[in-house]
Amino acid sequence: MADNNSNNPKNTNEVSDPGRRSFVKNTGIAVGGVAGGALLGGLFSNRSKNNNSTSTATKESVKEKRYEEARMYFTRIADFAILEQAVERIFPEDHNGPGAIELGVPYYIDKQLAGPYGSNVGDYRQGPFIGSKASAADSSLDRGQIFINGLRTMDVESLKRFDTNFVKATEDQQLEIMTDFADDKVEIKGISSKGFFNLLRSTTLEGAYCDPLYGGNRDMKGWKMKEYPGAIASYAHMIEEDKFVKMDQVSLTDYQPK
């Protein structure tokens, strides 16, 4: 039988620990079948690896020059470095496959914020605004401003709690801060910390599973982890198959004239 549900990537990962399952349910971290083990494992597992793994992944990615990957929105490299660490904690490299950094998620988010999405073009932008308890949709800040405020607040929290910048903190320390963001325990100007975390999480997943045309899901590795075929134009030639058909991944860019 052909895999013809293009909106539901295959997910074979499960959260086995009851403590994690309860936490996911109470904080709304799970996002249906899309989240996968990488997201849950990154946020709630106590792994022994330290930040050296992320640094190594960053150095390895530099070896292959990708000219389409250049910062367009983040003018301060320090802000972009915090973003890299944050998305890698949400979607880390593990036995299932690459993490957010290797998938190009930080550059996907950067490009989104540099365009109409980041400045909320077309959205209703008049008051009243809720203030510090606002979600991303209710804030007086646009999405770009929300990211800048949120990431810099992460750094401030790390300095306050651990006397070190967020990018130099251990994984457990980073996870502690991000968990408090998810639980709305941190004050951010113009938005709730939960609102910022939800926006960060959703854009991380978008970058991991989007069509590579949009700057994330580098080399379609996010799809390959899920055995999701991508932008298949037609399943007509296999619709009558009795067994599951494993397909090669196809991007929208594969349909461009040669």
Side-chain angles (χ1 to χ4, degrees), residues 194-248:
K194 182 178 180 179
F196 165 66
F197 179 83
N198 288 341
L199 182 62
L200 175 65
R201 180 196 60 196
S202 64
T203 51
T204 298
L205 292 173
E206 289 170 12
Y209 294 117
C210 70
D211 192 286
L213 175 69
Y214 301 105
N217 188 17
R218 184 188 293 159
D219 299 327
M220 297 184 284
K221 291 179 180 179
W223 289 349
K224 290 174 183 177
M225 284 191 285
K226 300 289 184 182
E227 296 184 5
Y228 175 63
I232 302 298
S234 173
Y235 295 92
H237 63 293
M238 63 180 70
I239 198 68
E240 299 297 332
E241 294 288 339
D242 294 328
K243 296 182 180 179
F244 177 81
V245 179
K246 187 173 181 179
M247 306 169 63
D248 292 332

Side-chain angles (χ1 to χ4, degrees), residues 116-126 129 136-139 141-143 146:
Y117 174 83
S119 52
N120 292 58
V121 172
D123 291 357
Y124 180 78
R125 302 292 295 147
Q126 303 301 314
F129 299 108
D138 301 321
S139 176
L141 306 176
D142 62 35
R143 295 185 186 93
I146 289 172

Side-chain angles (χ1 to χ4, degrees), residues 51-69:
N51 286 339
N52 290 335
S53 60
T54 301
S55 300
T56 301
T58 304
K59 291 177 182 177
E60 290 177 353
S61 65
V62 172
K63 293 178 182 178
E64 179 186 357
K65 284 192 175 183
R66 307 185 72 99
Y67 294 99
E68 75 279 10
E69 294 188 348

